[in-house]
Amino acid sequence: MKVADDNEISATLRRLPSIDTLLREEKIRDLVQSAGAEQSAAIAREQVDSLRTDIQGSSLFATQTSEELLDEAVRRIARAWRAKQNMGTRRVINATGVILHTNLGRASLSEDARNALRDTASGYCTVEYDLETGDRGKRGVCAEELLTDLTGAESAIVVNNCAAAAFLVLSVFGSGGEAVISRGELVEIGGDFRVPDVLEQSGTKLREVGATNRTKLADYEKGIGPDTRLLLRVHPSNYRIIGFTSSVSNTALVDLAHAHGLIMYEDAGSGAFPEISDLLDDEPVISRSIQNGVDLVSFSGDKLLGGPQCGLIVGRRNLIEKLRNDPLYRALRVGKLIYAALEATLRSYARGTAITDIPVLRMLAATYDTLEERCRSFVQRYPGSGDFVFDIVHGHSVVGGGSAPDTHPSSPLIAISHPAISAEGLTAMLRNSKPPVIARIEKDRVHLDLRTVSVEDECELLAALTHFEGQNPS
Ligand SMILES: *Cc1c(COP(=O)(O)O)cnc(C)c1O
């Protein structure tokens, strides 16, 4: 290619379309309509600027005609607008098989929780209003009562997430002092979300005791000094079925804490209600910890519980009241929508229908045979012309996106291939469907895991595949 000289470049720059010309282009009329005049002008200016830079920097564009430059600008504007629209939070179909996919919003909410959200969001609500008396009500009482009923704790409080729960507990009870924690537990949670850093922000010094792989009661005892305020137990966040066997029991830690006038606090992380522990062994059961005398237990709302993002703290009434009266609680409290979704989720447990109501539990409980039947019927219902090749293969799902997940329920997977489209191309196309579908690639093939796809979503998933086969006349 011949190198463009300065005169040629200047001439090309003069051929760049004006913003007005661009905005009158037929091809981007819809875009201008949905983006509005000001926003589309801003996008057009940005894209013409980038084209100008490219003309100055590369001979590739330097000799283009006015028409070619107009086309190129229009193409860039359309692409920029699509990228802008793809930003932000919206529903996707999770066909990855990762049940609590943090990037995809962790727990999928129950039908009741979705309805409660929609209802509460559609106007005013009773977040601090008592319908019986017509007076001001206490924020959160309903969720708190459900939590105490379900866990056997004296009292409960809800904050923004489990990290906030741990931060609040340590700020109120540990600040200026020390919390004794097993070195192994601190290592386990040291992954990418740095809970230890959050804990230390509270002004509590974490005093690590024992060895990474084993901590004995005597190690805790030796770690207790004049500044100790709490004994802290933190569960590893990888939702493993097997492997987490703590060498010191909760009851022994509780006795030790109380003998020294300390608070025993357990950050259960995910935390389980009995329904969940039937499905996953070794998840700490909140009611059992309370029964064993643990003073405060915190856990996440959007992990195994299957509710919205929040942090739940249950335990002794006097301690929970101290948390509630601390100014920090005001900064960490949750809003009306979270209460609405959380209450609906907890009601399913109270009613005894959690296992059928809560998607996380349904996904965990789904058997291989049921899933295989769904896969078979899905492939059979596919109405496409036959360019896609479907295979049902043996694979695994993942419970949670923890740092070292070792829970892998066996699942049948639908492997998809296409003679003319690469696996990466296929996943990109799926991401661009409406709603976007997120799939995984294994051994150069795209795999769909129906364990994390609801039966209701199967139609849309089928439509996504059918739609772009129609677009690919290969
Ligand atoms: C996940 C987890 C947290 C953080 O919970 P968020 O609700 O994401 O803030 C804290 N501690 C443990 C042990 C966890 O597993």
Side-chain angles (χ1 to χ4, degrees):
M1 184 184 299
K2 96 180 174 51
V3 177
D5 64 29
D6 286 354
N7 283 341
E8 250 176 324
I9 289 177
S10 314
T12 310
L13 289 176
R14 282 194 297 275
R15 284 198 292 274
L16 274 172
S18 72
I19 303 302
D20 279 346
T21 312
L22 273 170
L23 295 183
R24 278 196 306 268
E25 264 299 297
E26 182 61 33
K27 282 187 197 135
I28 52 171
R29 171 177 291 175
D30 288 353
L31 183 159
V32 175
Q33 210 149 59
S34 46
E38 256 178 61
Q39 200 180 191
S40 30
I43 297 169
R45 263 194 299 277
E46 224 173 73
Q47 296 310 314
V48 171
D49 283 349
S50 91
L51 190 51
R52 184 175 297 117
T53 311
D54 288 350
I55 291 169
Q56 286 160 339
S58 129
S59 30
L60 184 63
F61 296 105
T63 54
Q64 291 204 334
T65 64
S66 306
E67 288 73 38
E68 287 171 332
L69 290 171
L70 184 68
D71 277 355
E72 176 66 15
V74 163
R75 224 169 38 82
R76 289 185 183 205
I77 290 167
R79 197 196 313 140
W81 177 239
R82 199 184 66 197
K84 234 181 175 49
Q85 285 184 308
N86 272 339
M87 275 172 23
T89 309
R90 55 169 147 148
R91 182 171 85 95
V92 299
I93 292 178
N94 171 14
T96 64
V98 181
I99 296 173
L100 297 170
H101 199 306
T102 299
N103 303 153
L104 302 182
R106 287 196 185 155
S108 157
L109 294 175
S110 70
E111 192 63 38
D112 283 356
R114 292 174 206 185
N115 288 337
L117 268 180
R118 210 171 298 122
D119 184 52
T120 312
S122 48
Y124 295 98
C125 69
T126 56
V127 67
E128 283 183 15
Y129 188 83
D130 188 331
L131 284 176
E132 292 293 318
T133 63
D135 288 333
R136 180 181 176 169
K138 262 180 71 194
R139 175 182 285 254
V141 272
C142 173
E144 289 163 15
E145 204 173 292
L146 283 161
L147 281 167
T148 52
D149 287 351
L150 289 166
T151 62
E154 291 172 4
S155 192
I157 192 168
V158 182
V159 290
N160 188 47
N161 52 31
C162 194
F167 181 62
L168 180 63
V169 169
L170 290 193
S171 296
V172 171
F173 298 112
S175 178
E178 293 181 353
V180 176
I181 180 172
S182 158
R183 196 179 307 276
E185 293 172 14
L186 214 48
V187 168
E188 294 270 10
I189 57 167
D192 55 348
F193 66 89
R194 302 302 311 157
V195 164
D197 293 346
V198 177
L199 299 184
E200 294 215 304
Q201 274 294 310
S202 70
T204 309
K205 193 172 175 334
L206 297 183
R207 193 179 168 83
E208 299 168 56
V209 297
T212 355
N213 57 350
R214 195 172 159 75
T215 304
K216 298 191 285 291
L217 189 65
D219 296 321
Y220 282 96
E221 193 153 21
K222 268 185 278 176
I224 296 174
D227 293 332
T228 309
R229 306 275 186 274
L230 315 97
L231 296 190
L232 170 58
R233 156 157 286 171
V234 179
H235 283 272
S237 54
N238 49 11
Y239 323 102
R240 53 179 71 178
I241 281 180
I242 44 147
F244 184 70
T245 43
S246 139
S247 41
V248 183
S249 72
N250 264 348
T251 38
L253 280 183
V254 167
D255 289 345
L256 180 65
H258 292 175
H260 288 81
L262 307 172
I263 293 169
M264 172 61 200
Y265 165 43
E266 180 180 11
D267 177 10
S270 199
F273 286 0
E275 289 87 340
I276 307 166
S277 72
D278 288 346
L279 301 167
L280 289 175
D281 302 336
D282 275 354
E283 261 306 314
V285 179
I286 309 300
S287 55
R288 205 171 298 148
S289 295
I290 293 295
Q291 220 168 41
N292 287 339
V294 176
D295 298 305
L296 291 170
V297 185
S298 61
F299 55 110
S300 277
D302 57 351
K303 290 184 182 168
L304 291 173
L305 183 72
Q309 179 194 306
C310 56
L312 312 169
I313 312 172
V314 297
R316 297 204 189 279
R317 182 170 293 112
N318 61 328
L319 301 179
I320 298 280
E321 283 319 297
K322 279 218 176 76
L323 296 176
R324 197 187 309 282
N325 293 327
D326 194 276
L328 191 55
Y329 167 63
R330 180 63 178 73
L332 301 177
R333 74 180 192 183
V334 299
K336 57 188 179 180
L337 299 181
I338 297 296
Y339 277 123
L342 176 64
E343 286 158 13
T345 306
L346 293 173
R347 282 198 179 104
S348 283
Y349 286 94
R351 210 188 294 131
T353 54
I355 194 77
T356 47
D357 292 351
I358 312 274
V360 170
L361 302 196
R362 277 205 308 263
M363 291 171 190
L364 278 172
T367 64
Y368 193 98
D369 289 350
T370 314
L371 290 170
E372 195 170 37
E373 190 42 49
R374 279 180 61 193
C375 288
R376 247 190 248 118
S377 138
F378 183 88
V379 171
Q380 263 163 22
R381 273 177 292 156
Y382 178 73
S385 61
D387 276 340
F388 281 113
V389 180
F390 294 97
D391 266 324
I392 298 171
V393 301
H394 181 82
H396 296 276
S397 307
V398 177
V399 179
S403 44
D406 39 36
T407 297
H408 298 293
S410 293
S411 303
L413 307 176
I414 302 173
I416 311 177
S417 37
H418 190 284
I421 312 172
S422 70
E424 284 75 20
L426 211 50
T427 51
M429 288 163 100
L430 284 165
R431 283 200 308 276
N432 269 309
S433 58
K434 287 191 181 94
V437 174
I438 317 298
R440 77 169 117 124
I441 298 177
E442 254 171 46
K443 295 188 196 120
D444 287 331
R445 273 218 290 184
V446 176
H447 289 78
L448 303 176
D449 186 337
L450 295 188
R451 189 183 285 274
T452 52
V453 177
S454 71
V455 175
E456 297 76 50
D457 287 350
E458 278 182 20
C459 285
E460 283 173 311
L461 182 54
L462 211 50
L465 286 168
T466 315
H467 175 73
F468 66 61
E469 189 168 59
Q471 290 187 327
N472 264 275
S474 54

